[in-house]
Amino acid sequence: DSTIYYGNQAFEFGQKIGVRTGLAAPLTAVGRAYANRGELRKSLDYHERAIEVSILGRDSIQLGYCYNYLGVFFLEGENLNRAIENFTSAGKIFELKKFVAGQIEVLRNLSAAHSQQQQHKLAVVEGEQQHRRQAGARRWHRGCHGASRLGRGRVQRGAAAGSVRWLRREAGLQ
């Protein structure tokens, strides 16, 4: 499978040139590829290795994704308790880092796991939280996009400092 070959190549190259942030991403891709082939032991090994690399590289966001993907591995294997455990770890990291995209993905996965456990009320609550975060992210993105367009107009007219202040105010950073 090309994902396995190129994922390993990317990881080795990243190590060679000293990449720290995102270095574990190819390992999780290889782990997913092995899971898709039914080679679960190899898949688990790659997921665990990705976690180690993220910890050594102090890459919190990637560590969150590693726990999330490991949770998916257990969810697909119907080991729901271990899936929830890993999703919860990922969620804590994403919450601490205020990384909304990761929070949304984790909430979707937690909702699926709790639904499979017949914990439908909890699954609905998580689904609603996911929806609120997605809606908030879309509003923020639309606001920033509009602000950046208006801000560019201000910069083109020579009011760079005013443009930056205006963008920061619109993005809620002042």
Side-chain angles (χ1 to χ4, degrees):
D1 185 52
S2 62
T3 302
I4 294 169
Y5 175 77
Y6 289 114
N8 281 317
Q9 292 295 312
F11 176 73
E12 289 173 17
F13 182 69
Q15 277 188 311
K16 189 180 292 185
I17 64 170
V19 171
R20 290 176 57 120
T21 303
L23 184 60
L27 296 175
T28 58
V30 172
R32 296 288 302 144
Y34 276 121
N36 292 338
R37 290 171 74 175
E39 297 181 48
L40 301 181
R41 183 68 243 167
K42 280 187 178 179
S43 176
L44 187 58
D45 290 344
Y46 271 88
H47 285 297
E48 289 172 345
R49 187 168 170 210
I51 289 171
E52 291 172 14
V53 168
S54 294
I55 291 170
L56 288 173
R58 298 175 189 243
D59 189 353
S60 300
I61 299 298
Q62 191 61 48
L63 180 61
Y65 275 119
C66 289
Y67 282 123
N68 185 59
Y69 294 136
L70 187 57
V72 170
F73 171 84
F74 287 119
L75 181 64
E76 290 172 350
E78 297 185 11
N79 187 338
L80 301 177
N81 290 332
R82 287 198 65 190
I84 291 168
E85 191 177 292
N86 281 281
F87 293 144
T88 302
S89 294
K92 287 177 182 176
I93 292 168
F94 291 144
E95 189 75 32
L96 181 68
K97 291 296 185 176
K98 298 182 184 348
F99 187 65
V100 177
Q103 293 172 25
I104 290 167
E105 191 170 331
V106 165
L107 285 167
R108 179 177 44 247
N109 291 333
L110 275 169
S111 180
H114 285 125
S115 182
Q116 285 186 31
Q117 282 187 328
Q118 307 299 313
Q119 295 183 27
H120 299 296
K121 287 182 182 179
L122 186 54
V124 167
V125 167
E126 290 159 345
E128 288 171 345
Q129 289 175 342
Q130 173 201 348
H131 177 72
R132 278 194 301 280
R133 282 195 176 86
Q134 281 177 312
R138 280 193 296 271
R139 278 193 304 277
W140 184 84
H141 179 14
R142 280 194 305 268
C144 286
H145 178 68
S148 68
R149 285 189 10 224
L150 289 171
R152 278 197 304 270
R154 289 170 182 251
V155 170
Q156 290 168 354
R157 290 191 307 269
S163 177
V164 170
R165 280 192 305 275
W166 187 81
L167 283 169
R168 289 183 61 77
R169 187 178 63 245
E170 289 300 309
L173 299 174
Q174 282 186 341

